[in-house]
Amino acid sequence: MSDATRSSVRGPSQLMLLVTVLIVAANLRPAITAVGPLIERIGDDTGLGPAALGLLGAIPAVGFGVVALFVAAAARRWGLERSIFFALLFLAAGTLLRSLPLGDFSLFAGTILLSAAIGVGNVLVPAVVKRDFPGRVPAVTGLYTAVLVGCAAVASGTAVPVAAAHGWELTLGASAILALISAGVWSTRLRRARRDASLATGPQLVTPEPPGGSMWRSAVAWQVTGYFALQSGIFYLMLTWFPAIQTSHGFSEASAGLWLGAYQAIGIAASLVVGAVMQRAADQRLTLLALAGIMLVGVLGMLLVPSAMPAWALIAGFASGGNLLVGLTLISMRARTSAEASRLSGMAQGVGYLLAAVGPLLAGTLFEVTDSWSPVLWITVAAILAMALVGSFAGRRVDVL
């Protein structure tokens, strides 16, 4: 069934498509955002040092990146619906494995497995949005990004009190329940996919790459990839180490976890506001530059006036949520079809997350050497400026191919 045919669906069916997209989005961060507030507690219990904990924080980005390079090809063979369904099952399995009392093995192996599963959803959800909502890409992306960051914020904000009552292992394993419920809801799409495949007379859900259409030779694809890498690197650095940055300035562990949750929760507002703006904008350059400026204010505030850390958490968190939305929206908007969106998503997230993985690892190592978070934050400032520069090119209204 073609994109045009799908976009003609209305009423309850279209609403159900949106609901299933949002429930997948709800699973794409909680399993990893619960780690940051507990990172020092995990280190105390396991004996892992800052560099090893930085590696633990980097694994999700590495997993996202490696998987993203191959997901588009797998989806062409198995279809978007089946690929996402099995990813949700693997997410539940990885989350449960990580929570088992098997020492460092279960902690790292479970993190690797769940990160790979989330990586599948990261890549394929933009392709689903492009296919099912071709005329409303920024608005729908804003909705699913709001759900994504909202659930991430809940996981961060509740991690410390839940761990205090039940232990960090059980806290990290709790999101497996959500993954299993979501797999059940998403399974309704499997029947729809089989019906659509039997009725289709044109290309299938994800078509093969046409000759001469390689994303790897597109300057626009590299601009989108560069922007995605920089915003992801900043996000995962803050996700892993922002609580530790706060505790180094005298904030309690519980307070630091709460403000990490707020850092992400404010992204809900950013997603809805920025999504609406992008839906009407001629191109995305002004939006990208404005978000970079807001992020710059937040990080410089952490450096220069750390006593006002809660304010900087909200300011930088708003920009971070907006940057994620922009990165995901650019993938769909620069592509002309869902097939192109799947391939661009694989490239941008594959290369982007692999480069972003350097952030938490570098930050942990640099802190271990200098015993200060200031060098880490100054590097973040440089990354924000680079993101603004790349975004001024990626934000133009041009097709990737």
Side-chain angles (χ1 to χ4, degrees), residues 317-343:
F318 182 92
S320 181
N323 288 334
L324 174 60
L325 166 63
V326 170
L328 294 171
T329 302
L330 287 177
I331 290 171
S332 296
M333 294 191 74
R334 295 296 165 262
R336 292 169 298 179
T337 67
S338 62
E340 285 186 3
S342 179
R343 290 158 48 209

Side-chain angles (χ1 to χ4, degrees), residues 70-119:
F70 305 99
V71 168
R76 284 197 295 273
R77 178 175 181 180
W78 299 104
L80 295 178
E81 274 72 18
R82 279 201 294 173
S83 298
I84 293 175
F85 175 73
F86 284 109
L88 289 169
L89 295 181
F90 279 112
L91 172 58
T95 303
L96 289 174
L97 174 61
R98 184 180 59 177
S99 67
L100 295 177
L102 301 177
D104 294 351
F105 168 77
S106 59
L107 181 63
F108 281 90
T111 301
I112 291 170
L113 180 57
L114 70 88
S115 298
I118 293 173

Side-chain angles (χ1 to χ4, degrees), residues 29-380:
R29 291 298 179 270
I32 56 175
T33 58
V35 174
L38 304 176
I39 196 90
E40 292 177 296
R41 185 182 300 232
I42 294 170
D44 290 341
D45 285 357
T46 62
L48 296 173
L53 293 172
L55 176 61
L56 183 66
I59 285 175
V62 173
F64 296 168
V66 171
V67 168
L69 295 174
F70 305 99
V71 168
R76 284 197 295 273
R77 178 175 181 180
W78 299 104
L80 295 178
E81 274 72 18
R82 279 201 294 173
S83 298
I84 293 175
F85 175 73
F86 284 109
L88 289 169
L89 295 181
F90 279 112
L91 172 58
T95 303
L96 289 174
L97 174 61
R98 184 180 59 177
S99 67
L100 295 177
L102 301 177
D104 294 351
F105 168 77
S106 59
L107 181 63
F108 281 90
T111 301
I112 291 170
L113 180 57
L114 70 88
S115 298
I118 293 173
V120 174
N122 285 341
V123 172
L124 297 186
V125 168
V128 171
V129 170
K130 181 69 174 180
R131 185 194 66 188
D132 292 345
F133 309 95
R136 302 289 298 171
V137 167
V140 174
T141 303
L143 284 174
Y144 90 70
T145 305
V147 171
L148 184 153
V149 299
C151 292
V154 170
S156 293
T158 60
V160 171
V162 174
H166 303 289
W168 62 264
E169 294 93 344
L170 183 61
T171 303
L172 294 184
S175 60
I177 299 172
L178 175 62
L180 290 173
I181 294 172
S182 301
V185 175
W186 185 264
S187 68
T188 61
R189 274 183 172 255
L190 298 179
R191 295 187 294 273
R192 177 188 177 91
R194 286 193 293 268
R195 184 181 69 248
D196 289 346
S198 68
L199 296 175
T201 57
Q204 295 302 307
L205 299 182
V206 180
T207 57
E209 179 176 331
S214 173
M215 289 291 168
W216 302 93
R217 292 195 294 269
S218 168
V220 176
W222 281 107
Q223 291 158 12
V224 173
T225 298
Y227 180 85
F228 198 91
L230 288 163
Q231 70 86 18
S232 297
I234 294 168
F235 174 79
Y236 282 101
L237 186 154
M238 298 301 288
L239 181 67
T240 303
W241 294 117
F242 187 43
I245 292 171
Q246 293 178 77
T247 57
S248 73
H249 289 287
F251 291 86
S252 69
E253 182 188 47
S255 176
L258 176 64
W259 286 111
L260 177 62
Y263 176 94
Q264 297 169 84
I266 195 67
I268 300 173
S271 299
L272 298 175
V273 171
V274 175
V277 170
M278 292 180 71
Q279 185 70 44
R280 296 171 175 82
D283 64 27
Q284 287 73 52
R285 286 175 289 185
L286 184 59
T287 303
L288 271 65
L289 292 174
L291 288 169
I294 295 170
M295 175 65 80
L296 190 62
V297 169
V299 175
L300 286 175
M302 295 175 195
L303 271 164
L304 303 177
V305 193
S307 60
M309 197 69 74
W312 309 132
L314 295 176
I315 291 171
F318 182 92
S320 181
N323 288 334
L324 174 60
L325 166 63
V326 170
L328 294 171
T329 302
L330 287 177
I331 290 171
S332 296
M333 294 191 74
R334 295 296 165 262
R336 292 169 298 179
T337 67
S338 62
E340 285 186 3
S342 179
R343 290 158 48 209
L344 178 57
S345 187
M347 175 183 171
Q349 298 196 50
V351 176
Y353 279 127
L354 286 174
L355 294 177
V358 175
L361 185 58
L362 175 63
T365 304
L366 189 57
F367 175 76
E368 199 166 20
V369 171
T370 65
D371 197 31
S372 171
W373 290 110
S374 292
V376 172
L377 292 174
W378 282 117
I379 289 175
T380 304

